[in-house]
Amino acid sequence: QVQLQQSGPGLVKASQTLSLTCAISGDSVSSNSAAWHWIRQSPSRGLEWLGRTYYRSRWYYDYALSLQSRISINPDTSKNQFSLHLNSVTPEDTAVYFCVRDRYCRGGTCYSGGNFDYWGQGTLVTVSS
Amino acid sequence: DIQLTQSPSFLSASVGDRVTITCRASQGISSSLAWYQQKPGKAPKLLIYDASTLQSGVPSRFSGGGSGTEFTLTISSLQPEDFATYYCQQLNSYPLYTFGQGTKLEIK
């Protein structure tokens, strides 16, 4: 059974960096049939996709266009986890943040393609001004 | 960006009712749509992918349909545990995934 366990501070000051970690059990961050995402949720913006990383002979990274200058997602194969770093935060970045696995299977073969089948427990991050 | 609009935003129904939620895309997305269920304080749960394929472990009273720009999620006979908020999500413009605004299903 796959489990994603999130950790990180719930309060960050404006202009600083938000950092969260997602520890994976039951799968590998280096899996060649999964991708690993961060998604956030707030009353004003709803569910918002932030970015992903995945391994297919090398590491790939994709980020939401609106956040590209401030975000990085980093895998850590030694600890089987991945992290989110969002710098220069403002109160607009206040949200519940989720780490998510993306994997689905069809005809006996598994892929990543945007179907989010396992989620972390969520971390409420408040940005104080 | 592809926009998704769900209707209705709020739905009041009774146990045993059949309900349908609609999700409309701002442009054609083939069958690249998923549905999620979210309960208060919990993460969303994947119900359906590829517009109509039931995720493993999801009860068969849930079904999805549609393609192109119009999609539906139907619950054939509401159970008490089904009262939650439901979201659609498009996968067509990967990796710029977007979600609908949600439909809150409440007990009448």
Side-chain angles (χ1 to χ4, degrees):
Chain A
Q1 178 76 338
V2 175
Q3 290 189 325
L4 304 178
Q5 181 66 41
Q6 298 178 216
S7 59
L11 184 63
V12 180
K13 292 183 179 178
S15 80
Q16 296 190 343
T17 298
L18 180 162
S19 296
L20 297 173
T21 299
C22 183
I24 302 163
S25 58
D27 200 347
S28 169
V29 71
S30 303
S31 166
N32 62 11
S33 62
W36 306 93
H37 301 245
W38 288 95
I39 290 170
R40 68 184 179 184
Q41 185 174 31
S42 65
S44 58
R45 301 163 101 102
L47 287 160
E48 181 183 13
W49 177 80
L50 304 181
R52 69 175 179 182
T53 186
Y54 59 98
Y55 185 78
R56 302 289 186 271
S57 302
R58 69 169 179 91
W59 289 101
Y60 292 83
Y61 309 89
D62 294 294
Y63 303 119
L65 295 175
S66 61
L67 298 173
Q68 271 189 341
S69 62
R70 299 197 290 131
I71 189 173
S72 67
I73 295 175
N74 304 116
D76 182 341
T77 57
S78 67
K79 296 181 178 179
N80 200 31
Q81 63 187 31
F82 62 110
S83 61
L84 167 70
H85 301 281
L86 184 65
N87 59 40
S88 304
V89 296
T90 72
E92 296 272 301
D93 295 308
T94 295
V96 177
Y97 287 75
F98 295 99
C99 61
V100 185
R101 189 184 83 161
D102 164 10
R103 185 175 186 265
Y104 74 105
C105 301
R106 184 193 290 155
T109 302
C110 296
Y111 315 83
S112 64
N115 293 300
F116 304 129
D117 64 343
Y118 285 95
W119 296 61
Q121 78 275 24
T123 301
L124 172 60
V125 179
T126 301
V127 178
S128 64
S129 54
Chain B
D1 290 4
I2 296 176
Q3 309 299 320
L4 298 177
T5 303
Q6 292 182 230
S7 59
S9 295
F10 296 94
L11 181 57
S12 182
S14 302
V15 173
D17 284 354
R18 177 184 179 92
V19 298
T20 297
I21 298 168
T22 298
C23 178
R24 290 187 173 84
S26 58
Q27 63 190 73
I29 58 171
S30 185
S31 297
S32 300
L33 190 100
W35 288 97
Y36 297 83
Q37 175 194 67
Q38 187 177 31
K39 295 182 179 178
K42 300 293 187 181
K45 173 188 174 183
L46 178 64
L47 298 176
I48 288 169
Y49 62 92
D50 286 350
S52 61
T53 302
L54 208 61
Q55 173 72 349
S56 175
V58 174
S60 59
R61 63 182 180 272
F62 291 91
S63 63
S67 67
T69 61
E70 188 156 332
F71 302 86
T72 57
L73 172 69
T74 298
I75 310 172
S76 60
S77 178
L78 275 172
Q79 299 302 299
E81 61 268 29
D82 299 337
F83 292 94
T85 301
Y86 292 84
Y87 295 93
C88 58
Q89 175 225 342
Q90 66 81 20
L91 293 72
N92 191 69
S93 63
Y94 60 88
L96 305 180
Y97 307 110
T98 52
F99 293 83
Q101 84 280 11
T103 295
K104 187 173 184 179
L105 177 54
E106 298 179 322
I107 301 175
K108 185 182 288 183

